[in-house]
Amino acid sequence: VSTQSTGAAPTQMDGPPVQRLPNRSRKSLEIPNTLGVWNMYPRYVPRLHEYTSSARGALNRMRNKLVSAAWEKWQYEYEQECKAKFFMQGAIRRMINRQISMAWEKWQFEYEETKRQMLLMTGALNRLRNRLLSAAWEKWQFEYEEQCRQMFMLNGALNRMKNLKLSQAWEKWQFEYEEQKRQMHLMAGALNRMKNRMLSMAWEKWQQDYQEAKRQKHLMAGALNRMKNRMLSAAWEKWQFEYEEQCRQMFMLNGALNRMKNLKLSQAWEKWQFEYEEQLRIEFMLKGALTRMMNLKMSQAWEKWQWYCEQLRILREGRSRVPEYNIVIDHPIATNWVKLESPHVVF
């Protein structure tokens, strides 16, 4: 217990006197917090007003739904009317001042064309003056683009090698997604056709009739044009025929001249073609022979089955081969065969 609480005089044992802070009221302690809120007021109040205004506007539209729809409709119609009025005034001015409008548009076109030609001419002159620099610049651009493309492909390949499983899973997911999307599209189309079968049939019928009418109209228009301009059409077809014939003859003449100029080369080329075809034929026959040698029993069974099928076809058609080549009767299996006229044979 200190001496101040007992009212006794302070001694050396009590230590230095304690300085008490003056008592503060609750209002003075709340001032810093109030000042902090006041400092945040300019930042939050405009946003609060914005949110409040948006919410009030949404509520007003919900309360006055028809009025809001009518107001927006009026705004849209007013904008469309103003735009149509602007275009109409422009069209009327062009009609009134037709010559001035045509001259103005002509001047604009000529100005743009001259500007474009001057740009091209300046570029061509600069390239002619600095020919080596231009060639080096284009070469650098080409090499840079090629290097960027190769770096992109190389990075892609390295990323796929690093993340092989992830890349395979991603490609698998892409394939499955596209397949599922395609199947869903087909399924939805099939279901819609099943639900609206008569409408679908009518739509397809209309499409078919429309295409047919369009084709017939095109043919009829072509026929009428040819009838109207019969001489012109005949001359056009004659020119087409002569042009194609001349192109064919020029092609053949160029080929003949080239062969005459390069006789040895042409002969060597034809020789190579012949040898190549012959080599392919020999390789095909050799592969067939080797395959038959490897599968000798299967080859014999296949040829035997072919022979029996041919003999059955001959008997069903009621024909017979030449006596000296008639193998059916001489074969031991043919002794048990029944003639086609026998009632025991059922086809």
Side-chain angles (χ1 to χ4, degrees):
V1 179
S2 64
T3 57
Q4 293 182 0
S5 62
T6 56
T11 60
Q12 295 180 356
M13 298 298 294
D14 294 331
V18 179
Q19 296 182 0
R20 288 182 175 274
L21 296 175
N23 294 330
R24 295 181 180 179
S25 62
R26 181 176 299 178
K27 186 175 182 181
S28 64
L29 292 174
E30 293 177 354
I31 288 175
N33 190 14
T34 306
L35 290 175
V37 174
W38 180 257
N39 291 330
M40 291 188 296
Y41 179 81
R43 289 187 298 173
Y44 289 101
V45 168
R47 192 176 299 175
L48 182 62
H49 282 305
E50 183 181 355
Y51 293 158
T52 306
S53 176
S54 300
R56 189 181 296 112
L59 290 174
N60 288 332
R61 288 189 187 90
M62 291 175 66
R63 290 174 184 173
N64 305 310
K65 188 175 181 180
L66 296 177
V67 178
S68 176
W71 169 250
E72 292 178 354
K73 180 70 175 177
W74 181 84
Q75 284 181 317
Y76 174 76
E77 295 293 339
Y78 178 73
E79 294 291 336
Q80 293 294 325
E81 187 176 356
C82 289
K83 186 166 67 171
K85 186 177 180 181
F86 174 76
F87 287 130
M88 186 66 69
Q89 288 177 355
I92 292 173
R93 288 195 185 95
R94 289 188 186 91
M95 291 174 66
I96 295 173
N97 304 310
R98 186 177 179 183
Q99 298 296 327
I100 298 176
S101 177
M102 291 170 62
W104 170 250
E105 293 177 355
K106 180 68 175 176
W107 180 86
Q108 283 180 320
F109 174 77
E110 293 295 337
Y111 174 74
E112 294 293 335
E113 185 66 20
T114 305
K115 187 177 178 181
R116 186 182 68 84
Q117 290 179 2
M118 287 296 294
L119 178 66
L120 295 174
M121 187 67 69
T122 305
L125 290 174
N126 288 329
R127 288 188 186 90
L128 285 167
R129 290 174 184 173
N130 306 308
R131 187 175 179 182
L132 296 177
L133 183 62
S134 176
W137 170 250
E138 293 178 355
K139 180 68 174 177
W140 180 85
Q141 282 180 317
F142 174 77
E143 295 293 339
Y144 177 74
E145 295 292 336
E146 184 67 19
Q147 187 176 2
C148 289
R149 187 182 67 85
Q150 291 179 1
M151 287 297 294
F152 176 77
M153 296 176 66
L154 184 60
N155 289 330
L158 290 175
N159 289 329
R160 288 187 186 91
M161 290 174 65
K162 291 178 182 177
N163 306 309
L164 184 60
K165 296 296 183 182
L166 183 61
S167 176
Q168 292 177 353
W170 169 250
E171 292 178 355
K172 181 68 175 178
W173 180 86
Q174 282 181 317
F175 174 76
E176 294 293 339
Y177 175 74
E178 293 294 334
E179 185 66 21
Q180 187 176 2
K181 188 177 179 180
R182 187 183 66 84
Q183 291 180 1
M184 288 296 293
H185 177 72
L186 295 175
M187 186 67 70
L191 290 175
N192 288 331
R193 288 188 188 91
M194 290 175 66
K195 290 178 182 177
N196 306 308
R197 186 178 179 183
M198 302 303 294
L199 182 62
S200 176
M201 292 170 63
W203 169 250
E204 292 178 355
K205 180 67 176 176
W206 180 84
Q207 283 181 318
Q208 182 182 0
D209 291 340
Y210 174 74
Q211 294 295 331
E212 184 66 21
K214 188 176 179 181
R215 187 181 67 84
Q216 291 179 1
K217 185 178 179 180
H218 176 72
L219 296 175
M220 187 66 69
L224 291 175
N225 289 328
R226 289 187 187 90
M227 290 175 67
K228 291 178 182 178
N229 306 307
R230 187 175 179 181
M231 302 302 294
L232 182 61
S233 177
W236 170 250
E237 293 178 354
K238 180 70 174 176
W239 180 86
Q240 283 181 319
F241 174 77
E242 294 293 339
Y243 177 75
E244 295 292 337
E245 184 66 20
Q246 187 176 0
C247 288
R248 188 181 66 84
Q249 291 178 2
M250 287 296 295
F251 176 76
M252 296 176 67
L253 184 59
N254 289 329
L257 291 175
N258 289 328
R259 288 187 187 90
M260 290 174 65
K261 290 178 182 178
N262 306 308
L263 185 61
K264 297 296 184 183
L265 183 62
S266 176
Q267 291 176 355
W269 170 250
E270 293 178 355
K271 180 68 174 177
W272 180 85
Q273 284 180 318
F274 174 76
E275 295 293 339
Y276 179 72
E277 295 292 337
E278 185 67 19
Q279 186 176 359
L280 288 179
R281 187 180 66 84
I282 293 174
E283 287 182 359
F284 177 76
M285 295 175 66
L286 186 60
K287 286 180 181 179
L290 290 174
T291 303
R292 290 187 188 91
M293 290 175 65
M294 291 178 181
N295 306 308
L296 185 60
K297 296 296 184 182
M298 186 182 295
S299 177
Q300 292 176 354
W302 169 251
E303 293 177 354
K304 186 74 172 179
W305 179 82
Q306 285 180 317
W307 179 79
Y308 278 119
C309 289
E310 181 67 19
Q311 300 306 317
L312 285 174
R313 186 183 66 81
I314 292 171
L315 290 175
R316 286 174 181 174
E317 291 176 358
R319 295 184 292 106
S320 61
R321 292 177 176 241
V322 185
E324 55 267 18
Y325 298 102
N326 193 353
I327 314 173
V328 179
I329 303 175
D330 298 334
H331 202 273
I333 302 178
T335 55
N336 298 325
W337 286 358
V338 185
K339 294 183 179 181
L340 293 176
E341 291 79 13
S342 176
H344 301 286
V345 181
V346 180
F347 293 99

